[in-house]
Amino acid sequence: MSDVILRLALPSPLRRLFDYRATAAMARQPLTPGMRIRVPFGRREMIGILVEVCATSEVPADKLKPAIALLDPTSPLPPALFKLCLWTAQYYQHSLGDTLSWALPVLLRQGEAAEIRQERFWQVTADARLDDPRIARAPRQREALQTLSQHPHGVAHSLLSKLGLNKDSLDLLLAKQLVQLEVRRQRPATRHEHWLAQPELPLNDEQRAAFEAVRSGFGSFHAFLLAGVTGSGKTEVYLQLIRETLEAGKQALVLIPEINLGPQTLARFEQRFNARIALLHSAVNDRERLDAWLAARDGEADIIIGTRSALFTPMKNPGLIIIDEEHDGSYKQQEGLRYHARDLALVRAHQENVPILLGSATPSLESLHNAHTGRYGLLRMNHRAGGAKQPRFLRLDVRSRPLDSGISGPLQQAIGKTLEAGQQVLVFLNRRGFAPTLLCHDCGWMSGCPRCDARMTVHQRSGVLRCHHCGYDERLPLRCPKCAHVDLRPVGAGTERAEERLKVLFPDFPVLRVDRDSTSRKDAMHNLFTTIQRGQPSILVGTQMLAKGHHFPRVTLVAILDADGGLFSGDFRASERMAQLIVQVAGRAGRAEEPGKVIVQTHLAEHPLLVQLTEEGYFAFAEQALSERRSAGLPPFAHLALLRAEAHKPGQAEGFLDEACSAAERLLAEQGGQGIELLGPVPAPMERRAGRFRAQLLLQASARAPLHRLISAWLLELEQMPSGRQVRWSLDVDPVDLY
Ligand code: ADP
Ligand code: ZN
Ligand code: ZN
């Protein structure tokens, strides 16, 4: 045994590192941070990541356990990525081991070799001939030989069926030594001389200005916010900047929101370039993810496209980072390591000294603020690229008007007129299901979830009541569970009800619903969109799945059934999200020759934020909302951290948070932390969820440094608190949802 101490990050929530003794054999190897090492942990084994090598440990020598095995000859993580993970763990006050677990591909965490997989390749032998007499009467073997001979580098075993190659024929050919089988690494696709597979569009003046600004920032860290209205041609700007990046011999990383993963977005990148594209998103399997990660790391992928976690993909030659739809909520991870991929992308761009471009038609208030203060260069594109006009907005005051499944009389007329004119209508309602509640007209019973402080949604078609917060469901009752009467009425409207009603109102036109329930089948979404693209008059009803990235040229009327939810919510970000959704949905309309119209149904037609949004547009709204945030001392003018706790028994979570609050007050007194307020503990807005009682404590600070100083000392105390063992708790730095 050696005296070399290995200090490891282990996949544990504890915010500390763990020491092990290196075996004599390990100690003779060059040991560098990032290497994976298998160690004993309790009665199990774990894979840890080497953080540093030391000569001494605070652990008594007889307690120090030897490591079991070194898994890597060199570190699989490049230093830049390791540094990013260190920064992330520090900033989000998360255990480094767990941070690395979130950041690395699953197979690497499980100990898989950090090398691109070896594969079997079928190849024609040098002296094989198609007119070989041994296959003269074997047409299938001849066909297989012919197909294979068109692939001089061989065909990977996994691709045989794709090329219509039959394994039995190949086995027969193998026996005749007309083909051979070779095990080797997937040959990296060759780099191309000509990057463009498709001509570029000539940029218009606004696009050119944005393009030139970012290009002049190539080669070092610069941050830009591309605020371009929907349809202004942001994607074309991204594509041309990526081409510049490739020509400079560098790689581009593109993050897209989860909801944009449709084939439409990816196809635009794939069609434009002769490039090796690595895809990293939820639909790729673990092996594909690891291969894409390795290809990016080794410079064998030119463009890396993925959702949130793709931010942690290493790059050999990073040249540009693009965050599409930077305002999108899916960039924030809401469990475990609660990071924000957009914010971390900025850190990464800075660390790797490359430019970063954030794009959106509806930038987050945080990013707009950063543009105002000069941290980001602001690039505006105010016109639609194809020449289409911006849609017009109308607020439709529905106070005291009867709503028929959520649809007012004037809106029905507008829909009818649009269909008669041969155009399409998009009806937006951000609520799935038939109705948000079931009510007994006799006794007032309502369909509460037994596990949450929430109502269960009526799903008529599948015949269930379902809770959208915990997933609990039960059969739709025929009689009231309380008084046994049969007068049960669905209250309010979701997409399913709107769809049903629209079908009755407009029986001559197809009504298509797009939400998570209707599109859960794999091709459902694709089929829907093909139908819509065909262009005959029809109605599309859907949730926010409709809001992103799609292009519906024949939609000329967009109806927002209910804009009010965002205007009186307890969450200070609700109005921002509502405005973004309305503008994004509206942006689907009239993208071709006909101008679009957007009708917003509301009970708050005079609400200043709604007036501003519909009359002067998103940027005027955003200025107003920013000035409200400033006077209320809310982000981006303040910094937040939220300590959440939940427990099975009522009062337990608050008990822990009370203690946590006292500890924070004491630390604040010791540290002289100025400008930090502790708000709470209070029960969460929805106190009971999935059978647990939840509470929270909000920390609000005028400056970031004292807040971070406080929480790093605080968390170490929280980890030791006995009351913390009975609850599940977590800290969210820069929380996005305050629930
Ligand atoms: P955004 O990403 O800003 O929503 P897109 O890049 O999707 O906008 O562009 C909207 C439409 O305008 C697309 O159909 C695109 O092909 C077209 N377009 C973009 N740039 C140009 C251009 N310079 N000239 C003509 N059409 C363009
Ligand atoms: Zn009843
Ligand atoms: Zn529930």
Side-chain angles (χ1 to χ4, degrees):
M1 216 38 58
S2 72
D3 285 329
V4 175
I5 309 295
L6 306 170
R7 190 153 290 163
L8 302 183
L10 292 182
S12 138
L14 296 177
R15 291 165 185 80
R16 47 165 288 209
L17 301 174
F18 297 83
D19 289 357
Y20 288 87
R21 197 187 292 281
T23 61
M26 280 177 206
R28 281 194 295 274
Q29 313 246 353
L31 294 165
T32 53
M35 285 178 164
R36 293 171 300 162
I37 298 175
R38 192 185 298 279
V39 293
F41 190 82
R43 264 179 275 160
R44 295 186 298 144
E45 289 183 3
M46 273 194 181
I47 294 176
I49 296 203
L50 183 62
V51 177
E52 53 181 345
V53 179
C54 319
T56 58
S57 171
E58 287 176 7
V59 181
D62 57 331
K63 291 259 169 68
L64 210 53
K65 291 195 187 140
I68 298 170
L70 184 61
L71 303 187
D72 297 298
T74 58
S75 168
L77 332 180
L81 187 68
F82 194 62
K83 196 170 150 201
L84 180 68
C85 291
L86 285 172
W87 195 96
T88 303
Q90 176 72 30
Y91 183 82
Y92 290 103
Q93 304 281 333
H94 201 76
S95 108
L96 178 61
D98 202 47
T99 302
L100 287 159
S101 289
W102 281 102
L104 298 182
V106 174
L107 292 182
L108 275 192
R109 284 179 250 151
Q110 294 173 350
E112 187 83 12
E115 274 164 31
I116 293 180
R117 163 178 46 179
Q118 303 269 324
E119 244 203 302
R120 283 178 295 163
F121 283 82
W122 293 88
Q123 209 165 347
V124 177
T125 49
D127 40 355
R129 294 167 49 118
L130 280 174
D131 57 0
D132 191 301
R134 287 172 296 167
I135 54 173
R137 257 170 288 156
R140 298 188 59 183
Q141 289 177 49
R142 223 173 35 236
E143 213 177 292
L145 191 65
Q146 174 143 33
T147 309
L148 210 54
S149 63
Q150 286 157 6
H151 298 268
H153 300 301
V155 168
H157 189 79
S158 56
L159 294 178
L160 290 185
S161 58
K162 212 170 174 183
L163 294 176
L165 282 165
N166 173 283
K167 168 90 166 46
D168 294 340
S169 309
L170 291 177
D171 281 338
L172 294 168
L173 290 168
L174 185 65
K176 298 179 183 125
Q177 295 186 338
L178 295 173
V179 305
Q180 61 197 26
L181 198 50
E182 197 189 357
V183 179
R184 59 171 151 88
R185 252 191 69 170
Q186 174 90 15
R187 184 184 295 273
T190 40
R191 272 188 85 102
H192 289 269
E193 294 290 304
H194 301 289
W195 290 109
L196 288 178
Q198 177 194 63
E200 297 182 324
L201 296 171
L203 296 179
N204 63 34
D205 291 348
E206 286 185 329
Q207 286 174 313
R208 174 137 312 273
F211 171 82
E212 294 295 350
V214 181
R215 189 174 58 170
S216 68
F218 271 28
S220 58
F221 171 72
H222 284 93
F224 299 95
L225 175 62
L226 177 57
V229 298
T230 50
S232 58
K234 294 183 289 298
T235 312
E236 186 63 35
V237 174
Y238 303 156
L239 290 169
Q240 300 202 16
L241 287 167
I242 292 170
R243 193 250 310 133
E244 290 278 321
T245 307
L246 302 180
E247 280 174 357
K250 303 236 161 122
Q251 298 165 289
L253 170 66
V254 183
L255 294 193
I256 57 177
E258 252 149 44
I259 208 140
N260 263 17
L261 262 178
Q264 284 183 329
T265 315
L266 296 179
R268 281 181 80 175
F269 288 86
E270 282 168 349
Q271 283 161 7
R272 176 63 58 91
F273 297 111
N274 292 315
R276 300 163 300 182
I277 298 183
L279 289 180
L280 291 123
H281 53 72
S282 49
V284 304
N285 68 34
D286 289 347
R287 185 67 233 185
E288 290 165 335
R289 175 176 293 271
L290 177 57
D291 283 343
W293 191 92
L294 294 168
R297 181 194 68 177
D298 298 341
E300 289 171 4
D302 309 302
I303 305 174
I304 296 103
I305 304 180
T307 46
R308 182 175 66 223
S309 65
L311 184 264
F312 293 104
T313 313
M315 285 188 279
K316 191 170 186 198
N317 288 307
L320 174 67
I321 301 179
I322 292 173
I323 314 290
D324 186 26
E325 309 287 5
E326 66 86 27
H327 66 279
D328 194 273
S330 71
Y331 287 127
K332 166 81 177 175
Q333 177 150 296
Q334 302 283 17
E335 52 169 339
L337 173 64
R338 293 174 162 77
Y339 68 99
H340 201 301
R342 175 199 59 215
D343 298 350
L344 278 185
L346 269 127
V347 174
R348 178 162 189 193
H350 194 265
Q351 287 182 346
E352 307 224 34
N353 204 25
V354 297
I356 176 166
L357 176 60
L358 314 179
S360 175
T362 52
S364 62
L365 297 186
E366 276 80 4
S367 294
L368 278 173
H369 177 64
N370 281 327
H372 292 337
T373 57
R375 286 186 63 199
Y376 303 166
L378 181 61
L379 311 168
R380 291 281 299 261
M381 300 203 300
N382 300 323
H383 300 94
R384 288 185 160 187
K389 290 219 179 58
Q390 287 280 25
R392 268 180 311 121
F393 280 85
L394 280 173
R395 292 188 307 284
L396 178 57
D397 189 346
V398 291
R399 265 175 303 181
S400 76
R401 279 184 204 278
L403 290 178
D404 180 355
S405 297
I407 307 159
S408 66
L411 180 57
Q412 285 180 28
Q413 286 162 16
I415 293 174
K417 270 198 208 142
T418 310
L419 295 170
E420 295 301 335
Q423 295 156 359
Q424 297 176 336
V425 179
L426 191 161
V427 175
F428 172 78
L429 176 59
N430 215 10
R431 204 187 288 139
R432 288 182 295 128
F434 188 80
T437 317
L438 190 64
L439 170 77
C440 172
H441 193 59
D442 280 315
C443 76
W445 169 87
M446 286 201 268
S447 55
C449 173
R451 311 175 65 209
C452 306
D453 293 330
R455 302 270 153 70
M456 288 197 283
T457 302
V458 182
H459 285 260
Q460 194 92 291
R461 206 156 303 168
S462 37
V464 294
L465 286 172
R466 179 172 301 131
C467 174
H468 287 186
H469 302 282
C470 72
Y472 175 88
D473 62 11
E474 57 188 45
R475 287 271 297 280
L476 206 52
L478 297 173
R479 296 170 170 278
C480 172
K482 200 165 138 205
C483 74
H485 283 117
V486 288
D487 196 358
L488 290 174
R489 301 182 180 182
V491 183
T495 45
E496 201 182 310
R497 188 173 209 170
E499 175 198 18
E500 191 180 287
R501 190 65 197 144
L502 287 163
K503 279 183 168 154
V504 174
L505 290 170
F506 304 102
D508 301 334
F509 299 94
V511 178
L512 308 160
R513 177 159 59 94
V514 180
D515 58 30
R516 252 198 296 149
D517 301 323
S518 73
T519 55
S520 49
R521 271 190 317 110
K522 214 172 167 210
D523 298 327
M525 190 87 172
H526 182 70
N527 293 341
L528 268 170
F529 289 125
T530 351
T531 313
I532 298 158
Q533 300 297 347
R534 257 184 247 132
Q536 73 258 51
S538 49
I539 305 177
L540 264 166
V541 189
T543 56
Q544 58 173 340
M545 282 184 94
L546 281 176
K548 315 278 171 76
H550 303 290
H551 181 58
F552 305 131
R554 301 284 293 165
V555 169
T556 57
L557 173 63
V558 171
I560 313 278
L561 288 196
D562 179 11
D564 298 349
L567 296 173
F568 50 73
S569 161
D571 183 343
F572 72 89
R573 282 199 173 83
S575 61
E576 176 185 357
R577 274 196 292 264
M578 175 215 58
Q580 287 164 344
L581 259 178
I582 291 181
V583 173
Q584 294 284 348
V585 176
R588 307 304 117 209
R591 308 236 307 178
E593 47 296 331
E594 294 113 12
K597 183 156 94 176
V598 183
I599 296 181
V600 183
Q601 290 195 149
T602 174
H603 290 88
L604 301 162
E606 306 311 321
H607 194 292
L609 285 177
L610 194 59
V611 172
Q612 198 105 40
L613 178 71
T614 52
E615 289 181 4
E616 292 171 58
Y618 182 78
F619 292 94
F621 158 85
E623 291 314 315
Q624 168 108 6
L626 269 173
S627 73
E628 286 183 10
R629 296 265 187 100
R630 185 195 296 274
S631 40
L634 287 167
F637 303 96
H639 307 281
L640 303 180
L642 185 65
L643 182 64
R644 297 187 179 92
E646 54 179 53
H648 286 293
K649 289 199 202 122
Q652 267 180 337
E654 272 106 329
F656 165 69
L657 292 180
D658 276 332
E659 233 183 291
C661 193
S662 316
E665 279 163 355
R666 186 173 33 74
L667 283 168
L668 274 181
E670 282 167 26
Q671 296 181 343
Q674 295 283 300
I676 300 181
E677 276 187 82
L678 300 168
L679 306 169
V682 291
M686 184 192 300
E687 185 175 6
R688 202 165 51 101
R689 189 161 116 178
R692 290 168 183 271
F693 293 87
R694 310 174 323 137
Q696 57 193 36
L697 173 62
L698 184 66
L699 279 66
Q700 186 168 9
S702 50
R704 194 177 286 289
L707 178 64
H708 268 76
R709 192 157 359 107
L710 170 69
I711 55 187
S712 52
W714 191 39
L715 283 173
L716 294 178
E717 290 197 15
L718 296 185
E719 279 182 352
Q720 302 301 324
M721 270 181 199
S723 59
R725 310 248 156 81
Q726 283 139 29
V727 304
R728 242 201 245 166
W729 62 268
S730 62
L731 184 84
D732 193 346
V733 175
D734 303 334
V736 169
D737 286 312
L738 297 187
Y739 59 77

